[in-house]
Amino acid sequence: MEAISKNFFLYLSNNKVLDRLAKRFGTRFGADKIVGGETFSQAIPLIKQLNHDGLQVTVDHLGEFVESEAESRKRSQECIETIQAIAHHQLNSEVSLKLTSLGLDISKEIVMENMERILQEAERHDITVTIDMEDSTRCGATIEIYKALKEKYRNLGTVIQAYLHRSHEDVEELHAYDPYLRLVKGAYKESGKVAFVDKPEVDANLKRLIKKNLLNGHYTAIASHDDAIIKFTKELVKEHGISKDHFEFQMLYGMRNQTQYDLLKEGYTVRVYMPYGDDWYGYFMRRLAERPANIAFAIKGIFSK
């Protein structure tokens, strides 16, 4: 039943008609519980509160699959303005972004030009930018763009998804670039030809990737709500004497809040991934697919005043 529910919500995540309806009706269908707002200004007070509590943040302006050069430049400018706002309000926040929102599907030249503008601004304010990973068809291009930019910009990270068969080789290949990697399980619907389909296999691979990147000596973000993954990481770093300032735990805004604060009390760095924007529909559906309990957020949003 859980597999059916996951496939159903992943299918809905790609429905463009429902996406347009979602923008019309706003985030009140439960998405406001896991999205910081429809504008960055709405997210600022939430980020300030999280920072006050000791939590760090990374923000992501939701949106993907841009089809015009003009729209990609608009998205890059919005990202630059977000970086400027983070600096102005002295927020403890990084920035995450998707390359498809910056023109990846249009041309490499456009996405590189947009990324250069963003990273130059981020460098001026010493703010780290992480390139989110999207589906498997864009993984190779994302890795290549990351490598090209990492040779020039220091504060740059990317994401590796444990459910892809290629991820072990990607982590090995990126070793030479001293990568800052966010390691996740993965949230897109993929074929068994390119991805592990069974949860135990994905979990085992995520553990392998965490161990590999940490023992390679690179800063690692363990982005998981899974207690078993968290426990594994704690035991691994203790066994190998890895300092707590060499890794962090990352969790989604609005989910497992108590666990976030418990880890914080134990002295670990915890970063909250906070998306914002009116293009929230695909993100929301993928979160429902990941964890059936999240459906309660939607039901509460629909029926609450």
Side-chain angles (χ1 to χ4, degrees):
M1 187 67 184
E2 184 174 330
I4 294 173
S5 172
K6 179 177 181 178
N7 289 334
F8 174 68
F9 283 109
L10 287 176
Y11 169 77
L12 290 181
S13 71
N14 293 317
N15 190 299
K16 293 185 178 181
V17 174
L18 293 177
D19 185 35
R20 288 194 294 270
L21 287 172
K23 289 180 181 178
R24 182 182 303 174
F25 288 103
T27 58
R28 64 177 177 272
F29 290 99
D32 58 342
K33 307 297 188 299
I34 60 174
V35 174
E38 294 187 25
T39 65
F40 185 67
S41 61
Q42 292 174 342
I44 289 173
L46 303 175
I47 297 170
K48 286 183 175 180
Q49 183 60 55
L50 292 171
N51 288 168
H52 178 268
D53 293 343
L55 296 163
Q56 300 180 32
V57 175
T58 186
V59 295
D60 176 16
H61 185 207
L62 292 170
E64 46 198 300
F65 312 127
V66 164
E67 297 177 350
S68 74
E69 182 176 343
E71 181 65 18
S72 76
R73 297 193 190 286
K74 178 181 177 184
R75 291 299 180 92
S76 65
Q77 182 59 35
E78 289 168 345
C79 191
I80 288 169
E81 291 172 0
T82 296
I83 290 169
Q84 293 169 342
I86 290 171
H88 176 74
H89 291 278
Q90 298 182 319
L91 304 176
N92 189 338
S93 178
E94 297 179 354
V95 172
S96 295
L97 52 79
K98 290 181 173 59
L99 293 184
T100 54
S101 73
L102 302 176
L104 179 64
D105 293 347
I106 302 172
S107 76
K108 182 179 179 180
E109 290 72 24
I110 290 173
V111 75
M112 287 294 287
E113 181 182 331
N114 286 329
M115 280 299 299
E116 288 271 3
R117 293 176 61 233
I118 291 167
L119 291 173
Q120 287 168 11
E121 190 66 25
E123 194 172 66
R124 276 193 282 272
H125 299 289
D126 196 24
I127 292 173
T128 296
V129 174
T130 297
I131 300 172
D132 283 338
M133 191 59 70
E134 302 179 68
D135 63 25
S136 62
T137 63
R138 298 172 175 89
C139 183
T142 300
I143 294 289
E144 291 306 310
I145 288 171
Y146 173 74
K147 289 192 296 186
L149 292 169
K150 190 64 167 63
E151 292 181 350
K152 186 175 180 180
Y153 299 98
R154 179 175 55 89
N155 294 339
L156 180 65
T158 193
V159 178
I160 297 294
Q161 299 168 315
Y163 69 169
L164 294 181
H165 295 155
R166 61 174 290 165
S167 292
H168 187 271
E169 292 182 5
D170 286 335
V171 170
E172 183 63 34
E173 185 177 335
L174 289 171
H175 174 42
Y177 293 83
D178 188 23
Y180 164 28
L181 297 181
R182 177 193 300 151
L183 302 179
V184 304
K185 292 186 181 183
Y188 291 86
K189 184 174 177 57
E190 300 284 2
S191 163
K193 295 180 179 179
V194 299
F196 298 108
V197 294
D198 295 325
K199 183 179 183 298
E201 289 182 301
V202 177
D203 291 352
N205 200 39
L206 179 56
K207 290 177 181 178
R208 285 193 292 268
L209 298 178
I210 291 169
K211 182 175 182 179
K212 187 172 189 62
N213 204 54
L214 281 173
L215 294 187
N216 278 346
H218 308 308
Y219 192 87
T220 306
I222 297 91
S224 176
H225 299 146
D226 190 327
D227 287 329
I229 298 298
I230 294 170
K231 180 181 178 183
F232 168 82
T233 303
K234 289 179 177 180
E235 292 174 349
L236 176 71
V237 298
K238 183 177 181 180
E239 177 185 354
H240 293 277
I242 297 171
S243 172
K244 288 181 178 178
D245 63 5
H246 209 66
F247 69 97
E248 64 185 48
F249 292 105
Q250 292 190 4
M251 295 188 181
L252 300 172
Y253 172 68
M255 297 185 190
R256 302 218 63 187
N257 295 342
Q258 188 57 55
T259 301
Q260 295 175 21
Y261 285 102
D262 289 344
L263 288 169
L264 198 62
K265 289 177 183 177
E266 293 174 33
Y268 296 102
T269 299
V270 182
R271 188 176 304 278
V272 178
Y273 182 97
M274 179 185 287
Y276 70 95
D278 63 358
D279 199 3
W280 55 268
Y281 171 77
Y283 172 83
F284 187 41
M285 289 298 109
R286 288 193 291 272
R287 298 296 80 76
L288 296 183
E290 282 179 342
R291 195 164 175 256
N294 294 339
I295 298 171
F297 285 123
I299 295 174
K300 183 176 180 181
I302 291 170
F303 292 104
S304 62
K305 294 182 179 179

